[in-house]
Amino acid sequence: MLKDWVVMPTCLPLVIRRCHACPSGRFRAGGKFRVNANHKVVDAWLLALCTGCGDTTKITVLERVNVRSVRPELLGRLHGNDSGLAAELLQDPVLRRRNRIALDWDDAWRLDTGGSDHLGREVIDVSVRFAARIPVRPLRLIAEGCGLSRAEVARLLTQGKLVSAGRLDGKLSGDFGFTLKR
């Protein structure tokens, strides 16, 4: 029986960037935007607050872009402080690279296994899907989903009782599948 597990975000991840006012390096993006228009050009930033001192940093979304080249729907979402747009923008690797930021997904996601009916089975086939590009260690997901310790999952992997078409070491943010034999 094939089980479907889904890794889904529970909130926006923390933004990793050095704070100029305190030693903290983490910012919480709340989904607020600042839009500034100057004649025919527009600038837009995603605002984030430092978790240490509460200072604000701006993550550049649009910079000196002609207002006519911006889709009206996007401008509406920016003006409306759309938190869904903030989540989409933080997923964009070009935006993260341009702003020199990284994301901290700790405690910002959960695993939906669809119930615990698979826990007593000898063999389970699982397909893991990601609702967002969240980098997670597959062995951690398997341990959490099957109610095992990470050491036990690593032991099952070395014994050949945990098999997958892809690599299970390191971090993944894309869909994968595995078979576990107890």
Side-chain angles (χ1 to χ4, degrees), residues 79-109:
H79 284 296
N81 291 320
D82 186 348
S83 60
L85 177 61
E88 290 171 29
L89 291 171
L90 287 174
Q91 290 288 313
D92 183 9
V94 174
L95 181 120
R96 289 197 314 259
R97 190 171 36 256
R98 183 175 2 130
N99 285 282
R100 295 187 197 102
I101 60 172
L103 301 178
D104 179 3
W105 281 99
D106 290 347
D107 302 323
W109 60 271

Side-chain angles (χ1 to χ4, degrees), residues 4-11 84 87-88 91 105 108-112 127-136 141 172-176:
D4 284 323
W5 291 0
V6 181
V7 177
M8 56 185 55
T10 56
C11 61
E88 290 171 29
Q91 290 288 313
W105 281 99
W109 60 271
R110 70 179 178 84
L111 177 64
D112 181 15
S127 171
V128 181
R129 290 185 308 108
F130 286 79
R133 296 192 55 80
I134 304 170
V136 181
L141 288 178
L172 289 177
S173 58
D175 300 350
F176 70 97

Side-chain angles (χ1 to χ4, degrees), residues 1 11 23 29 37 49 51 53 81 83 85 101 161 163 166 169 173 178:
M1 180 173 109
C11 61
L49 298 175
T51 58
C53 66
N81 291 320
S83 60
L85 177 61
I101 60 172
K161 294 183 177 184
V163 293
D169 57 344
S173 58
F178 68 90

Side-chain angles (χ1 to χ4, degrees), residues 14-15 19 24 26-30 32 46-59:
L14 293 178
V15 175
C19 180
S24 175
R26 304 272 193 268
F27 288 83
R28 183 168 311 283
K32 302 282 187 203
L46 173 62
L47 302 178
L49 298 175
C50 177
T51 58
C53 66
D55 200 31
T56 303
T57 190
K58 297 187 294 188
I59 300 167

Side-chain angles (χ1 to χ4, degrees), residues 24-71:
S24 175
R26 304 272 193 268
F27 288 83
R28 183 168 311 283
K32 302 282 187 203
F33 293 92
R34 178 163 185 247
V35 181
N36 185 29
N38 187 6
H39 299 287
K40 294 181 182 179
V41 294
V42 65
D43 296 303
W45 301 274
L46 173 62
L47 302 178
L49 298 175
C50 177
T51 58
C53 66
D55 200 31
T56 303
T57 190
K58 297 187 294 188
I59 300 167
T60 303
V61 177
L62 300 174
E63 187 171 35
R64 311 292 296 165
V65 176
N66 189 312
V67 113
R68 290 179 188 251
S69 66
V70 179
R71 294 185 325 270

